[in-house]
Amino acid sequence: MNNFTPFSALLGGIVIGLSVVFYFYMTGRLAGISGIFENAITNTSQRLSNLAFLLGLVIGPLIYFNFIASSAPVAFNITHSYLLIIPGGFLVGFGTRLGGGCTSGHGICGIGRLSINSIIATGVFVAIGMLTVTILQQFGVYL
Amino acid sequence: MNDKAISLICGIIFGIGLVVSGMTNPEKVIGFLSITHNWDASLIFVMGGAIITAGPFFYLFKNKEFSALGDKINWPNKKNIDKKLIIGSSLFGIGWGLVGLCPGPAISALATFDPIIIVFLVSMAAGVLVKKNTIK
């Protein structure tokens, strides 16, 4: 585990948790990003509010890069293979909406509420994600 | 303050949390999913930190009927574990493993101005729309 960063991970997680709590307290909505994304592109009644959340997700890192941690470049390493990006994106969109949530909706809000459904959903997507990466590694990807 | 301002502020805080946690970097997420090879357990601390922060408040608010802005709170109350939950979460798991991005970090990653993120997000939107228009 040469890249293990438990302290920044925990701190970031706490900040995310505070956002989830504040959002719920103020609006009564759970901050599941896949749901917010779906509503932003399909639901006209709360579109602006959902778009505002998504815009915040982009502004947050920009604030962080420019004003908080300007000296430390934040690593960003992503595959540039369209064979991974296009099916990957599609399955993330389709799967999260079919399963009713993603890492934030099921993994944070759902487990935070001790929802059995969310605990099972999170177990499934983590396990299948691990299986997928392990299979890709058999073909030399992500090694 | 209205719900749009609140949403923007919460999105900003959430986005800062994501970038501090390292989860906007797909390599970090792949490192977590790479259970048999150089495993990086950091993501557990991200989810753990968020859950232990939010969980007690959800418990405290469990009988709340209205939010501070006056909206009726609709708690998700689906109890049955059905095929959709399992198949949907499995398909999400495959997509997550292929790229190392889930919806939140994918949107935050726009801040890197890497055009490949737009390809990912358009594909993700296509997945959302296909689901919405084919399965009730």
Side-chain angles (χ1 to χ4, degrees):
Chain A
M1 288 209 274
N2 43 6
N3 296 313
F4 188 44
T5 52
F7 298 108
S8 56
L10 191 65
L11 180 65
I14 291 169
V15 173
I16 292 168
L18 291 173
S19 161
V20 166
V21 166
F22 185 55
Y23 185 66
F24 178 77
Y25 179 77
M26 295 304 290
T27 67
R29 292 179 233 150
L30 293 166
I33 310 296
S34 68
I36 291 175
F37 183 78
E38 171 174 346
N39 287 329
I41 59 176
T42 65
N43 177 352
T44 47
S45 70
Q46 287 176 341
R47 176 168 284 164
L48 277 179
S49 170
N50 288 305
L51 282 173
F53 195 106
L54 300 184
L55 180 66
L57 284 179
V58 184
I59 295 174
L62 290 174
I63 291 174
Y64 183 80
F65 290 137
N66 289 297
F67 301 108
I68 302 173
S70 50
S71 58
V74 176
F76 182 76
N77 233 327
I78 186 171
T79 175
H80 279 72
S81 159
Y82 288 112
L83 279 173
L84 297 174
I85 291 279
I86 293 171
F90 186 88
L91 289 171
V92 167
F94 187 91
T96 51
R97 292 332 295 150
L98 184 62
C102 58
T103 333
S104 51
H106 277 314
I108 296 171
C109 298
I111 294 182
R113 297 185 304 111
L114 300 177
S115 150
I116 300 294
N117 276 22
S118 292
I119 292 168
I120 289 177
T122 305
V124 168
F125 64 68
V126 168
I128 300 288
M130 286 175 167
L131 183 66
T132 303
V133 169
T134 304
I135 292 170
L136 287 173
Q137 287 171 336
Q138 306 310 307
F139 296 95
V141 182
Y142 294 136
L143 274 176
Chain B
M1 258 207 258
N2 63 18
D3 69 327
K4 292 167 197 73
I6 296 293
S7 295
L8 182 67
I9 292 167
C10 291
I12 290 172
I13 300 170
F14 200 113
I16 290 175
L18 280 176
V19 76
V20 169
S21 74
M23 292 305 127
T24 45
N25 183 9
E27 193 177 37
K28 207 69 189 142
V29 177
I30 297 290
F32 168 72
L33 296 176
S34 175
I35 187 83
T36 60
H37 180 83
N38 269 332
W39 189 49
D40 175 357
S42 307
L43 190 138
I44 293 174
F45 287 74
V46 183
M47 283 185 62
I51 291 166
I52 53 167
T53 305
F57 286 96
F58 282 135
Y59 185 77
L60 206 65
F61 297 157
K62 71 180 190 304
N63 294 319
K64 260 176 93 73
E65 284 183 59
F66 294 95
S67 73
L69 291 176
D71 305 284
K72 182 102 179 67
I73 295 173
N74 293 308
W75 290 100
N77 53 5
K78 222 172 137 236
K79 286 276 183 286
N80 58 319
I81 292 142
D82 56 9
K83 269 191 281 187
K84 282 184 193 171
L85 183 86
I86 304 298
I87 295 171
S89 298
S90 301
L91 295 176
F92 167 41
I94 297 172
W96 198 30
L98 290 178
V99 181
L101 282 177
C102 51
I107 292 156
S108 282
L110 277 172
T112 63
F113 301 108
D114 186 332
I116 199 83
I117 298 302
I118 295 174
V119 180
F120 184 89
L121 287 175
V122 169
S123 310
M124 186 169 109
V128 169
L129 293 173
V130 169
K131 155 43 185 89
K132 192 167 174 79
N133 292 302
T134 54
I135 301 167
K136 203 62 204 124

Short mmCIF file of all heavy atoms in Angstrom, two decimals, chain A residues 51-86:
data_model
loop_
_atom_site.label_atom_id
_atom_site.label_comp_id
_atom_site.label_asym_id
_atom_site.label_seq_id
_atom_site.Cartn_x
_atom_site.Cartn_y
_atom_site.Cartn_z
N LEU A 51 -28.68 21.78 -10.97
CA LEU A 51 -27.52 22.27 -11.75
C LEU A 51 -26.59 23.08 -10.86
O LEU A 51 -25.37 23.02 -11.01
CB LEU A 51 -28.00 23.13 -12.93
CG LEU A 51 -28.54 22.35 -14.14
CD1 LEU A 51 -29.14 23.31 -15.16
CD2 LEU A 51 -27.44 21.51 -14.80
N ALA A 52 -27.16 23.83 -9.91
CA ALA A 52 -26.33 24.62 -8.99
C ALA A 52 -25.43 23.70 -8.16
O ALA A 52 -24.25 24.00 -7.94
CB ALA A 52 -27.22 25.47 -8.07
N PHE A 53 -25.98 22.57 -7.72
CA PHE A 53 -25.17 21.61 -6.95
C PHE A 53 -24.02 21.09 -7.82
O PHE A 53 -22.85 21.06 -7.39
CB PHE A 53 -26.05 20.44 -6.45
CG PHE A 53 -25.39 19.62 -5.37
CD1 PHE A 53 -25.80 19.74 -4.04
CD2 PHE A 53 -24.34 18.76 -5.67
CE1 PHE A 53 -25.18 19.00 -3.03
CE2 PHE A 53 -23.73 18.01 -4.66
CZ PHE A 53 -24.15 18.14 -3.35
N LEU A 54 -24.34 20.71 -9.06
CA LEU A 54 -23.31 20.17 -9.96
C LEU A 54 -22.24 21.23 -10.26
O LEU A 54 -21.04 20.93 -10.30
CB LEU A 54 -23.93 19.67 -11.27
CG LEU A 54 -24.98 18.55 -11.13
CD1 LEU A 54 -25.44 18.10 -12.52
CD2 LEU A 54 -24.44 17.36 -10.35
N LEU A 55 -22.69 22.47 -10.45
CA LEU A 55 -21.74 23.56 -10.67
C LEU A 55 -20.82 23.70 -9.47
O LEU A 55 -19.60 23.89 -9.61
CB LEU A 55 -22.52 24.87 -10.92
CG LEU A 55 -21.69 26.13 -11.18
CD1 LEU A 55 -20.93 25.99 -12.50
CD2 LEU A 55 -22.59 27.37 -11.21
N GLY A 56 -21.39 23.59 -8.27
CA GLY A 56 -20.59 23.64 -7.05
C GLY A 56 -19.53 22.55 -7.02
O GLY A 56 -18.39 22.78 -6.59
N LEU A 57 -19.88 21.36 -7.50
CA LEU A 57 -18.92 20.25 -7.52
C LEU A 57 -17.69 20.60 -8.36
O LEU A 57 -16.59 20.11 -8.10
CB LEU A 57 -19.57 18.99 -8.10
CG LEU A 57 -20.52 18.21 -7.19
CD1 LEU A 57 -21.09 17.00 -7.94
CD2 LEU A 57 -19.81 17.74 -5.93
N VAL A 58 -17.89 21.42 -9.39
CA VAL A 58 -16.75 21.82 -10.25
C VAL A 58 -16.00 23.01 -9.61
O VAL A 58 -14.77 23.06 -9.63
CB VAL A 58 -17.24 22.20 -11.67
CG1 VAL A 58 -16.06 22.52 -12.57
CG2 VAL A 58 -18.07 21.07 -12.27
N ILE A 59 -16.77 23.94 -9.03
CA ILE A 59 -16.15 25.13 -8.42
C ILE A 59 -15.32 24.75 -7.19
O ILE A 59 -14.24 25.31 -6.96
CB ILE A 59 -17.23 26.18 -8.04
CG1 ILE A 59 -17.92 26.71 -9.30
CG2 ILE A 59 -16.61 27.34 -7.26
CD1 ILE A 59 -19.09 27.64 -8.99
N GLY A 60 -15.80 23.80 -6.41
CA GLY A 60 -15.11 23.38 -5.18
C GLY A 60 -13.64 23.05 -5.44
O GLY A 60 -12.74 23.64 -4.83
N PRO A 61 -13.36 22.11 -6.36
CA PRO A 61 -11.96 21.80 -6.65
C PRO A 61 -11.18 23.00 -7.20
O PRO A 61 -10.00 23.14 -6.88
CB PRO A 61 -12.07 20.70 -7.72
CG PRO A 61 -13.39 20.05 -7.45
CD PRO A 61 -14.29 21.16 -6.97
N LEU A 62 -11.84 23.86 -7.98
CA LEU A 62 -11.14 25.04 -8.51
C LEU A 62 -10.72 25.96 -7.38
O LEU A 62 -9.60 26.50 -7.37
CB LEU A 62 -12.02 25.80 -9.52
CG LEU A 62 -12.27 25.08 -10.85
CD1 LEU A 62 -13.26 25.86 -11.71
CD2 LEU A 62 -10.96 24.88 -11.62
N ILE A 63 -11.60 26.15 -6.40
CA ILE A 63 -11.27 26.96 -5.22
C ILE A 63 -10.09 26.31 -4.49
O ILE A 63 -9.12 26.96 -4.11
CB ILE A 63 -12.49 27.08 -4.28
CG1 ILE A 63 -13.57 27.94 -4.92
CG2 ILE A 63 -12.07 27.66 -2.91
CD1 ILE A 63 -14.88 28.00 -4.13
N TYR A 64 -10.19 24.99 -4.35
CA TYR A 64 -9.14 24.28 -3.62
C TYR A 64 -7.80 24.40 -4.33
O TYR A 64 -6.78 24.73 -3.72
CB TYR A 64 -9.54 22.81 -3.45
CG TYR A 64 -8.54 22.03 -2.65
CD1 TYR A 64 -8.53 22.10 -1.26
CD2 TYR A 64 -7.57 21.24 -3.28
CE1 TYR A 64 -7.59 21.40 -0.52
CE2 TYR A 64 -6.64 20.53 -2.55
CZ TYR A 64 -6.65 20.62 -1.16
OH TYR A 64 -5.72 19.94 -0.44
N PHE A 65 -7.80 24.14 -5.66
CA PHE A 65 -6.54 24.22 -6.43
C PHE A 65 -5.94 25.62 -6.36
O PHE A 65 -4.74 25.80 -6.26
CB PHE A 65 -6.78 23.92 -7.92
CG PHE A 65 -7.13 22.48 -8.24
CD1 PHE A 65 -8.15 22.18 -9.14
CD2 PHE A 65 -6.45 21.43 -7.65
CE1 PHE A 65 -8.47 20.87 -9.45
CE2 PHE A 65 -6.76 20.12 -7.96
CZ PHE A 65 -7.77 19.84 -8.85
N ASN A 66 -6.80 26.66 -6.44
CA ASN A 66 -6.30 28.02 -6.61
C ASN A 66 -6.05 28.78 -5.32
O ASN A 66 -5.20 29.65 -5.27
CB ASN A 66 -7.26 28.82 -7.49
CG ASN A 66 -7.21 28.35 -8.92
OD1 ASN A 66 -6.18 28.44 -9.57
ND2 ASN A 66 -8.31 27.79 -9.40
N PHE A 67 -6.82 28.46 -4.26
CA PHE A 67 -6.72 29.29 -3.06
C PHE A 67 -6.28 28.53 -1.81
O PHE A 67 -5.80 29.13 -0.87
CB PHE A 67 -8.06 29.98 -2.78
CG PHE A 67 -8.51 30.85 -3.90
CD1 PHE A 67 -9.57 30.48 -4.70
CD2 PHE A 67 -7.84 32.04 -4.18
CE1 PHE A 67 -9.99 31.28 -5.76
CE2 PHE A 67 -8.25 32.84 -5.23
CZ PHE A 67 -9.32 32.47 -6.02
N ILE A 68 -6.48 27.23 -1.79
CA ILE A 68 -6.18 26.51 -0.56
C ILE A 68 -4.86 25.75 -0.68
O ILE A 68 -4.01 25.84 0.18
CB ILE A 68 -7.34 25.55 -0.17
CG1 ILE A 68 -8.64 26.35 -0.01
CG2 ILE A 68 -7.01 24.81 1.13
CD1 ILE A 68 -9.88 25.52 0.19
N ALA A 69 -4.68 25.04 -1.76
CA ALA A 69 -3.49 24.20 -1.88
C ALA A 69 -2.74 24.52 -3.17
O ALA A 69 -2.38 23.63 -3.93
CB ALA A 69 -3.88 22.74 -1.85
N SER A 70 -2.51 25.79 -3.43
CA SER A 70 -1.94 26.18 -4.71
C SER A 70 -0.53 25.62 -4.92
O SER A 70 -0.09 25.44 -6.04
CB SER A 70 -1.93 27.70 -4.85
OG SER A 70 -1.36 28.26 -3.70
N SER A 71 0.17 25.33 -3.82
CA SER A 71 1.53 24.84 -3.99
C SER A 71 1.57 23.34 -4.32
O SER A 71 2.46 22.88 -5.01
CB SER A 71 2.34 25.10 -2.71
OG SER A 71 1.71 24.47 -1.63
N ALA A 72 0.60 22.61 -3.81
CA ALA A 72 0.63 21.17 -4.02
C ALA A 72 -0.21 20.78 -5.24
O ALA A 72 -1.42 20.91 -5.21
CB ALA A 72 0.11 20.45 -2.78
N PRO A 73 0.42 20.33 -6.30
CA PRO A 73 -0.37 19.90 -7.46
C PRO A 73 -1.14 18.63 -7.12
O PRO A 73 -0.59 17.71 -6.52
CB PRO A 73 0.68 19.63 -8.54
CG PRO A 73 1.95 19.39 -7.80
CD PRO A 73 1.85 20.11 -6.49
N VAL A 74 -2.42 18.63 -7.41
CA VAL A 74 -3.23 17.46 -7.09
C VAL A 74 -3.14 16.48 -8.25
O VAL A 74 -3.37 16.83 -9.40
CB VAL A 74 -4.69 17.87 -6.80
CG1 VAL A 74 -5.55 16.63 -6.55
CG2 VAL A 74 -4.74 18.79 -5.60
N ALA A 75 -2.76 15.26 -7.93
CA ALA A 75 -2.58 14.25 -8.97
C ALA A 75 -3.90 13.93 -9.64
O ALA A 75 -4.95 13.89 -9.00
CB ALA A 75 -1.99 12.99 -8.34
N PHE A 76 -3.86 13.74 -10.93
CA PHE A 76 -5.05 13.33 -11.66
C PHE A 76 -4.60 12.44 -12.80
O PHE A 76 -3.93 12.87 -13.73
CB PHE A 76 -5.81 14.54 -12.20
CG PHE A 76 -7.06 14.18 -12.92
CD1 PHE A 76 -8.20 13.81 -12.21
CD2 PHE A 76 -7.11 14.19 -14.31
CE1 PHE A 76 -9.36 13.45 -12.88
CE2 PHE A 76 -8.28 13.83 -14.97
CZ PHE A 76 -9.40 13.47 -14.26
N ASN A 77 -4.93 11.19 -12.70
CA ASN A 77 -4.48 10.22 -13.69
C ASN A 77 -5.66 9.38 -14.15
O ASN A 77 -6.22 8.62 -13.38
CB ASN A 77 -3.43 9.31 -13.04
CG ASN A 77 -2.17 9.28 -13.88
OD1 ASN A 77 -2.24 9.37 -15.11
ND2 ASN A 77 -1.04 9.15 -13.21
N ILE A 78 -6.04 9.55 -15.42
CA ILE A 78 -7.21 8.82 -15.92
C ILE A 78 -6.83 8.13 -17.23
O ILE A 78 -5.97 8.62 -17.96
CB ILE A 78 -8.41 9.79 -16.13
CG1 ILE A 78 -9.67 9.00 -16.51
CG2 ILE A 78 -8.11 10.88 -17.15
CD1 ILE A 78 -10.93 9.84 -16.53
N THR A 79 -7.47 7.00 -17.48
CA THR A 79 -7.24 6.32 -18.75
C THR A 79 -7.72 7.21 -19.90
O THR A 79 -8.67 7.98 -19.74
CB THR A 79 -8.00 4.97 -18.80
OG1 THR A 79 -7.84 4.42 -20.11
CG2 THR A 79 -9.48 5.15 -18.52
N HIS A 80 -7.06 7.12 -21.05
CA HIS A 80 -7.54 7.85 -22.21
C HIS A 80 -8.02 6.90 -23.29
O HIS A 80 -8.12 7.25 -24.46
CB HIS A 80 -6.48 8.82 -22.72
CG HIS A 80 -6.45 10.10 -21.93
ND1 HIS A 80 -5.96 10.17 -20.65
CD2 HIS A 80 -6.92 11.35 -22.20
CE1 HIS A 80 -6.10 11.41 -20.18
NE2 HIS A 80 -6.69 12.14 -21.11
N SER A 81 -8.31 5.67 -22.88
CA SER A 81 -8.83 4.68 -23.83
C SER A 81 -10.35 4.84 -23.95
O SER A 81 -11.08 4.67 -22.97
CB SER A 81 -8.49 3.28 -23.33
OG SER A 81 -9.36 2.34 -23.94
N TYR A 82 -10.82 5.14 -25.17
CA TYR A 82 -12.26 5.25 -25.38
C TYR A 82 -12.97 3.92 -25.13
O TYR A 82 -14.15 3.89 -24.79
CB TYR A 82 -12.55 5.76 -26.79
CG TYR A 82 -12.20 7.22 -26.97
CD1 TYR A 82 -11.14 7.62 -27.79
CD2 TYR A 82 -12.92 8.21 -26.31
CE1 TYR A 82 -10.81 8.96 -27.93
CE2 TYR A 82 -12.60 9.55 -26.45
CZ TYR A 82 -11.54 9.92 -27.26
OH TYR A 82 -11.22 11.23 -27.39
N LEU A 83 -12.22 2.83 -25.29
CA LEU A 83 -12.79 1.50 -25.03
C LEU A 83 -13.18 1.32 -23.56
O LEU A 83 -14.02 0.51 -23.22
CB LEU A 83 -11.79 0.40 -25.41
CG LEU A 83 -11.72 0.04 -26.89
CD1 LEU A 83 -10.59 -0.93 -27.14
CD2 LEU A 83 -13.05 -0.55 -27.35
N LEU A 84 -12.51 2.07 -22.69
CA LEU A 84 -12.86 2.03 -21.27
C LEU A 84 -13.79 3.18 -20.91
O LEU A 84 -14.77 3.01 -20.18
CB LEU A 84 -11.60 2.11 -20.40
CG LEU A 84 -10.60 0.95 -20.52
CD1 LEU A 84 -9.34 1.25 -19.71
CD2 LEU A 84 -11.23 -0.36 -20.04
N ILE A 85 -13.51 4.38 -21.44
CA ILE A 85 -14.25 5.59 -21.05
C ILE A 85 -15.72 5.52 -21.46
O ILE A 85 -16.61 5.80 -20.64
CB ILE A 85 -13.60 6.85 -21.68
CG1 ILE A 85 -12.24 7.13 -21.04
CG2 ILE A 85 -14.52 8.06 -21.57
CD1 ILE A 85 -12.28 7.83 -19.71
N ILE A 86 -16.00 5.14 -22.71
CA ILE A 86 -17.39 5.21 -23.19
C ILE A 86 -18.27 4.14 -22.52
O ILE A 86 -19.29 4.49 -21.92
CB ILE A 86 -17.45 5.19 -24.74
CG1 ILE A 86 -16.81 6.49 -25.26
CG2 ILE A 86 -18.89 5.05 -25.24
CD1 ILE A 86 -16.61 6.54 -26.75
#
